[in-house]
Amino acid sequence: GAVVSQHPSWVICKSGTSVKIECRSLDFQATTMFWYRQFPKQSLMLMATSNEGSKATYEQGVEKDKFLINHASLTLSTLTVTSAHPEDSSFYICSAPPGTASFSSYNSPLHFGNGTRLTVT
Amino acid sequence: DAKTTQPTSMDCAEGRAANLPCNHSTISGNEYVYWYRQIHSQGPQYIIHGLKNNETNEMASLIITEDRKSSTLILPHATLRDTAVYYCIVRVTGANSKLTFGKGITLSVRP
């Protein structure tokens, strides 16, 4: 089945530094990828939609200059948390729909990576 | 905002069926019902989805009412490893449409 891989699985960084998280579709191409954030004991919140070859679409309240998204190829999207602060500590998760927008994949379920635990000290 | 409501939590005995309810009274004709679950500190895992017919796979069964305003996820023989948060989500038709998560229901399977 479709596999989405995230790297790293966890990272600790100092306040003020930047952190890059990678999301790869291992056995399919993804023109779209979704980035979520999850704080402790809360649900997943969609941050942005990453589009291959074009700008990402950010949800209301998410700072696009702080959370830089690059979707340079059909198998890789990256999220960079710039000038990280302790309040950015969270669980970041990406997901992608398998295949292209063909009829057979029209309602294929999104597949999720295993997440990246970011801790900013 | 999530378009589904679920109880906050429930538990069941190991080996018994777990029936997880979900209300989606405002569901549109072009929206599917999806179920995912999340085990602590992992990414969500897809379980099953359906439009209006009941669905079954190796993990679970999905029963959707005729008016589509509610559904039930059935885990036929719950195990301790099924302890997780289960999310019922309605999703618009389309390969690249997003998933909007609600609070989910915490299922605890007891020995």
Side-chain angles (χ1 to χ4, degrees):
Chain A
V3 177
V4 175
S5 175
Q6 263 185 263
H7 179 81
S9 56
W10 60 271
V11 58
I12 301 173
C13 71
K14 292 186 176 181
S15 185
T17 61
S18 296
V19 174
K20 180 184 286 187
I21 302 170
E22 293 185 347
C23 180
R24 295 182 184 271
S25 55
L26 296 187
D27 52 358
F28 65 96
Q29 295 182 332
T31 56
T32 299
M33 290 186 178
F34 301 98
W35 286 95
Y36 293 82
R37 178 169 56 181
Q38 185 176 33
F39 292 108
K41 299 188 185 301
Q42 295 187 23
S43 187
L44 284 78
M45 294 295 296
L46 181 65
M47 299 175 66
T49 302
S50 168
N51 303 298
E52 189 268 334
S54 64
K55 291 184 179 180
T57 304
Y58 290 82
E59 297 297 305
Q60 190 173 9
V62 177
E63 300 175 58
K64 63 180 181 180
D65 294 329
K66 180 169 183 61
F67 299 99
L68 301 181
I69 291 175
N70 184 283
H71 195 150
S73 78
L74 289 172
T75 59
L76 175 64
S77 175
T78 60
L79 169 68
T80 301
V81 183
T82 63
S83 186
H85 291 284
E87 56 266 30
D88 298 322
S89 297
S90 189
F91 192 48
Y92 293 86
I93 310 165
C94 70
S95 72
T100 58
S102 64
F103 181 80
S104 62
S105 64
Y106 208 53
N107 285 297
S108 295
L110 297 184
H111 293 272
F112 286 80
N114 266 332
T116 297
R117 176 76 58 192
L118 170 63
T119 302
V120 184
T121 61
Chain B
D1 291 334
K3 296 179 63 176
T4 64
T5 55
Q6 301 175 254
T8 302
S9 63
M10 67 177 292
D11 63 18
C12 75
E14 188 177 19
R16 305 297 293 270
N19 298 319
L20 285 68
C22 179
N23 287 323
H24 30 80
S25 59
T26 61
I27 192 169
S28 301
N30 64 344
E31 290 180 316
Y32 280 66
V33 179
Y34 282 77
W35 283 83
Y36 281 78
R37 72 180 182 183
Q38 186 178 27
I39 296 170
H40 183 63
S41 295
Q42 296 183 20
Q45 177 190 21
Y46 166 76
I47 301 173
I48 200 167
H49 73 284
L51 182 63
K52 54 183 178 181
N53 297 321
N54 297 337
E55 302 288 345
T56 295
N57 62 21
E58 65 278 4
M59 290 183 68
S61 294
L62 174 60
I63 308 299
I64 302 174
T65 57
E66 193 169 342
D67 63 7
R68 302 210 319 126
K69 292 186 177 182
S70 66
S71 61
T72 301
L73 178 73
I74 301 173
L75 307 179
H77 305 287
T79 71
L80 298 179
R81 287 178 291 182
D82 291 323
T83 293
V85 179
Y86 287 75
Y87 296 97
C88 169
I89 304 166
V90 295
R91 179 188 181 209
V92 173
T93 300
N96 292 331
S97 65
K98 60 188 178 183
L99 286 171
T100 300
F101 287 78
K103 296 181 179 180
I105 178 172
T106 299
L107 172 67
S108 300
V109 180
R110 61 180 188 276

